[in-house]
Amino acid sequence: MRAMIIDEHLERMERLLELERAEERKRYEMESAALSLDQRQARGQLLLDLEVADARSLAGRVLVELRPPQGREVPSSLIGPGSIVRAARRGLGADEPVTGVVARMTRGRVGVALDGPPPEWMDSGRLFLELLPNEVTYERQRKGLARLRSSGDRRIARWRELLAGGRTPAFEADPGFAPAAHLNAEQNEALAHALAARDLALIHGPPGTGKTTVLAELVVRAVERGERVLAVAASNMAVDNLLARLVRRPGLRVVRLGHVARVSEALLPWTLDEQIEAHASQQIARGILDEAHGLLARARKQAARGRSADRYAEAREARAAAAKLFGEARKLMRVVRAQVLGSAQVVCATCTGTEIDLLEREEFDLTVIDEATQATEPTALLPLLRAPKAVLAGDHRQLPPTVLSLAAARQDLSRSLFERLLELHGPSVARMLREQYRMHEAIMTFPSRELYGGELRAHPSVEAHLLADLEGVASSELTGVPIVFLDTAGKGFDDEVAQGSESHRNPQEAELVARKVRQLLDAGLAPAQISVISPYGAQVETLRALLPGEGLEIDTVDGFQGRENEAVVVSLTRSNAEAEVGFLADLRRMNVAITRARRFLLVVGDSATVSAHPFYRDFIDYVTERSGYRSAWEE
């Protein structure tokens, strides 16, 4: 009966995955056919009018730096680090564009990694980057689901039982645990719980509570007891966040899988490509390749001199010798790759990056998944199947996995594996972290009360810190308080749908936000200490136009998940007579928005609109109780 249940569930996941895949294809094809390039840029699918600023080597690939002309900023879009893009020029034939991966983005530049040298046409005229559907990701998830359904492997069979609820997660009675000095009591409890797991454990980490710190310590402890660990996350940024903590631990042999364009530049030395390049035998392989290319050049030279029998024979011998050398070099390179990967105690990758041939023969004792609540279930299952034990860390009170298909989302594709396992096996499988190291107590208290049962508490080092405590920052009406709600009710700041887009913006509210940001800058904050976020991409674009300048971070709430800053300004955007709040009604989005701030949170919005929802009404009441309510009429 249990087998039937899990088979039906996995079949349903496959159908939902196909719905999502079809939706992405449909959107791409419809927009390509029906919309102009300018309209597609407005929807975030394109970046127009770029020019080559620089080109350099990046771990065996070519990094082409593109920038808008005349010092303009790169527009907000769906394109980001790790995106597969097509670079083209208006009017070029279908065979001309080149495909690459976005390596990094700033407000002034986009770096695209190419496997080969850029074509000549990239150096002249204005270019555009087009976001492409990532078919590889869907295919890897489909194969993972198929393996879970049909594999006769004993380990996978055990996972089937656990995922079906036919087996309860088991824990060792006494794992011989020694607390870590740098962890608090609850973090140590979660660490002990994870180390005692025989198959599965969950760590619930609300904002700022240090779940990644706990996972890093778990990885180190597992390696110390002789285990090999696969450490993954849903996004490249989250993988790098975990990797950055691991590489601080001396003696730990770590390899990061994935395209180098998707890895933070500071962490490139730990990538598989870079470690292969640094291997002594790789130098020998390169020498063999150079010799082979020299033989081919000689063969071409002989052929060009004429068609005599001797020259033909000499050219043929040179080609044969070159082919043999190429074979030797490839064999040696495979050996080097196997040695580098095989010697790693910890392998880091994205969830979908684990479904590659490189790992087919690699054995792991433990899988660790950070930010597990940001991964769809088919995505999270891929690394889960690579080891007999797994520890998942995340927070199901923050934003769920991104799902394009509304039909698939309604049928639970947007529910993470973390959340399903928590519901299936109950609270005993999880440990919750409660002490947070990010937010002033006044910023923390409302989300704690509304979403975490009032269980969060602020560490003494952060509970009362303010912007005015920072060196060089003057005390003011903004820097001397932790939280403010600036109410635009009655000002007539109506929201609107941006032209050529489905996203909302509020130009007058954006102007007010820009003024408050300038006040923070005038008080002495550095641009890098301020983040401005909105739920709506069109509002982000409007704010970027009003607040030009390198270093000031302006992004959507979704794009800012997993990050933090000293001061965060939130533009709610929605203001209308119908009191429509749109997807502000997803409280997980607001939870992310208000828990990014360390010392100061400013929320700008129309109370007459957002108070139609009880969460926002309660939030405004809470800020008022804290003496943080301000009216835009007073500005």
Side-chain angles (χ1 to χ4, degrees):
M1 184 63 181
R2 292 285 183 181
M4 185 182 298
I5 291 173
I6 190 62
D7 282 341
E8 290 175 355
H9 176 73
L10 294 174
E11 287 173 5
R12 189 164 68 90
M13 285 292 112
E14 285 192 49
R15 291 196 300 272
L16 298 182
L17 199 59
E18 282 304 311
L19 284 177
E20 179 71 358
R21 188 179 201 170
E23 179 66 22
E24 185 172 5
R25 285 175 181 162
K26 177 185 173 184
R27 290 190 183 194
Y28 175 76
E29 291 168 0
M30 286 179 62
E31 291 177 356
S32 298
L35 301 177
S36 68
L37 295 182
D38 292 307
Q39 288 173 321
R40 294 183 67 199
Q41 175 170 258
R43 293 187 175 220
Q45 299 289 341
L46 288 175
L47 291 174
L48 292 174
D49 297 328
L50 303 175
E51 58 189 23
V52 175
D54 191 19
R56 57 187 174 87
S57 175
L58 177 71
R61 294 175 172 85
V62 178
L63 180 70
V64 178
E65 296 272 3
L66 303 173
R67 66 185 176 197
Q70 300 174 345
R72 295 206 303 261
E73 294 184 353
V74 177
S76 174
S77 74
L78 299 175
I79 296 172
S83 296
I84 298 175
V85 293
R86 181 177 73 104
R89 208 173 64 197
R90 295 185 196 237
L92 286 181
D95 58 337
E96 293 288 348
V98 61
T99 300
V101 177
V102 175
R104 55 188 58 93
M105 290 185 73
T106 66
R107 294 183 67 176
R109 292 197 178 193
V110 184
V112 181
L114 308 177
D115 287 334
E120 291 183 11
W121 56 260
M122 289 191 76
D123 291 322
S124 60
R126 298 285 170 81
L127 312 175
F128 66 83
L129 290 182
E130 176 186 22
L131 182 66
L132 297 178
N134 192 347
E135 294 288 332
V136 173
T137 297
Y138 289 112
E139 190 58 27
R140 287 176 177 175
Q141 292 176 80
R142 188 194 63 78
K143 286 183 178 179
L145 290 171
R147 187 166 67 252
L148 184 55
R149 285 178 56 196
S150 60
S151 174
D153 183 276
R154 181 183 299 177
R155 182 180 66 209
I156 292 179
R158 292 182 66 203
W159 277 119
R160 281 172 54 86
E161 291 177 19
L162 192 143
L163 293 167
R167 184 163 57 88
T168 302
F171 297 86
E172 295 178 23
D174 182 14
F177 175 74
H182 65 286
L183 300 183
N184 64 39
E186 286 154 352
Q187 290 172 334
N188 270 309
E189 182 185 355
L191 176 62
H193 178 68
L195 287 168
R198 292 179 178 173
D199 38 38
L200 174 71
L202 305 180
I203 298 175
H204 179 200
T209 53
K211 60 180 170 44
T212 304
T213 300
V214 175
L215 284 188
E217 183 64 25
L218 169 64
V219 170
V220 171
R221 296 290 185 99
V223 170
E224 286 175 348
R225 65 185 189 184
E227 296 182 1
R228 194 172 187 226
V229 183
L230 179 61
V232 305
S235 68
N236 282 286
M237 183 175 71
V239 176
D240 284 351
N241 191 27
L242 179 56
L243 175 62
R245 286 166 168 78
L246 293 175
V247 299
R248 297 172 195 157
R249 309 300 287 262
L252 197 64
R253 297 192 303 275
V254 187
V255 169
R256 166 71 152 99
L257 300 185
H259 196 298
V260 290
R262 296 184 170 102
V263 181
S264 168
E265 193 161 9
L267 298 171
L268 285 177
W270 287 272
T271 61
L272 180 61
D273 286 356
E274 287 282 345
Q275 292 190 50
I276 287 173
E277 284 297 310
H279 197 282
S281 295
Q282 185 71 2
Q283 312 299 323
I284 299 172
R286 276 202 297 271
I288 295 172
L289 286 173
D290 289 343
E291 186 179 350
H293 284 298
L295 286 170
L296 285 180
R298 195 171 83 187
R300 287 193 296 270
K301 192 174 182 180
Q302 290 296 331
R305 287 180 176 177
R307 295 177 175 269
S308 72
D310 288 344
R311 289 196 183 102
Y312 179 77
E314 189 173 344
R316 183 176 60 188
E317 289 173 5
R319 289 193 188 95
K324 185 177 179 181
L325 288 173
F326 277 126
E328 291 176 7
R330 283 193 294 269
K331 184 178 179 180
L332 183 55
M333 290 165 73
R334 284 195 296 270
V335 170
V336 171
R337 186 175 65 186
Q339 288 177 347
V340 170
L341 191 56
S343 66
Q345 297 166 312
V346 185
V347 175
C348 296
T350 60
C351 291
T352 54
T354 62
E355 189 65 17
I356 55 177
D357 294 340
L358 277 175
L359 294 180
E360 202 58 47
R361 297 182 181 178
E362 299 296 324
E363 295 289 333
F364 297 95
D365 303 292
L366 171 67
T367 290
V368 167
I369 308 179
D370 199 5
E371 301 294 359
T373 48
Q374 294 182 29
T376 63
E377 184 169 341
T379 301
L381 286 172
L382 298 177
L384 199 75
L385 303 180
R386 293 285 184 186
K389 294 184 296 184
V391 176
L392 284 66
D395 179 16
H396 52 293
R397 302 300 184 192
Q398 295 188 59
L399 285 171
T402 300
V403 175
L404 298 177
S405 168
L406 186 59
R410 285 173 174 168
Q411 297 178 66
D412 278 353
L413 187 61
S414 62
R415 184 173 67 155
S416 67
L417 179 64
F418 180 101
E419 193 167 3
R420 193 170 82 80
L421 289 171
L422 186 59
E423 291 175 3
L424 185 64
H425 295 294
S428 63
V429 76
R431 292 294 182 271
M432 180 178 172
L433 307 178
R434 293 175 174 82
E435 188 166 57
Q436 61 85 24
Y437 295 79
R438 176 187 300 166
M439 296 167 276
H440 187 288
E441 179 271 336
I443 300 171
M444 174 207 73
T445 298
F446 182 76
S448 173
R449 186 180 74 192
E450 294 293 315
L451 298 166
Y452 300 103
E455 294 191 67
L456 299 188
R457 64 183 183 277
H459 187 267
S461 63
V462 302
E463 66 179 349
H465 64 181
L466 297 168
L467 292 178
D469 299 328
L470 293 170
E471 185 176 355
V473 176
S475 181
S476 72
E477 61 176 9
L478 296 181
T479 63
V481 296
I483 187 168
V484 169
F485 178 80
L486 183 53
D487 190 359
T488 65
K491 295 289 287 185
F493 292 0
D494 293 338
D495 66 68
E496 62 188 30
V497 177
Q499 187 175 3
S501 169
E502 297 176 355
S503 183
H504 288 258
R505 67 183 179 189
N506 191 322
Q508 291 171 296
E509 180 176 297
E511 290 175 3
L512 177 58
V513 167
R515 288 201 299 274
K516 305 313 286 186
V517 170
R518 292 191 186 99
Q519 287 180 25
L520 291 171
L521 292 170
D522 291 343
L525 266 79
Q529 293 175 309
I530 306 170
S531 294
V532 185
I533 59 180
S534 170
Y536 294 95
Q539 185 74 343
V540 167
E541 275 300 307
T542 305
L543 288 162
R544 285 181 173 177
L546 291 169
L547 291 165
E550 205 65 40
L552 189 66
E553 192 167 31
I554 306 175
D555 208 344
T556 61
V557 176
D558 298 52
F560 206 71
Q561 180 159 277
R563 290 139 74 190
E564 62 184 69
N565 213 338
E566 302 294 352
V568 172
V569 182
V570 181
S571 174
L572 295 180
T573 307
R574 300 309 298 268
S575 176
N576 52 76
E578 297 75 26
E580 290 285 345
V581 297
F583 56 52
L584 286 179
D586 186 342
L587 302 185
R588 293 171 295 187
R589 182 166 279 105
M590 190 58 178
N591 184 33
V592 170
I594 64 180
T595 58
R596 302 306 95 195
R598 290 175 49 78
R599 298 169 187 264
F600 177 64
L601 172 68
L602 169 61
V603 179
V604 182
D606 179 358
S607 65
T609 297
V610 301
S611 288
H613 193 292
F615 178 91
Y616 294 92
R617 183 173 62 249
D618 291 347
F619 175 72
I620 295 169
D621 288 344
Y622 168 79
V623 178
T624 302
E625 291 167 7
R626 294 279 180 148
S627 302
Y629 178 87
R630 306 283 187 274
S631 171
W633 287 97
E634 301 167 3
E635 294 298 313

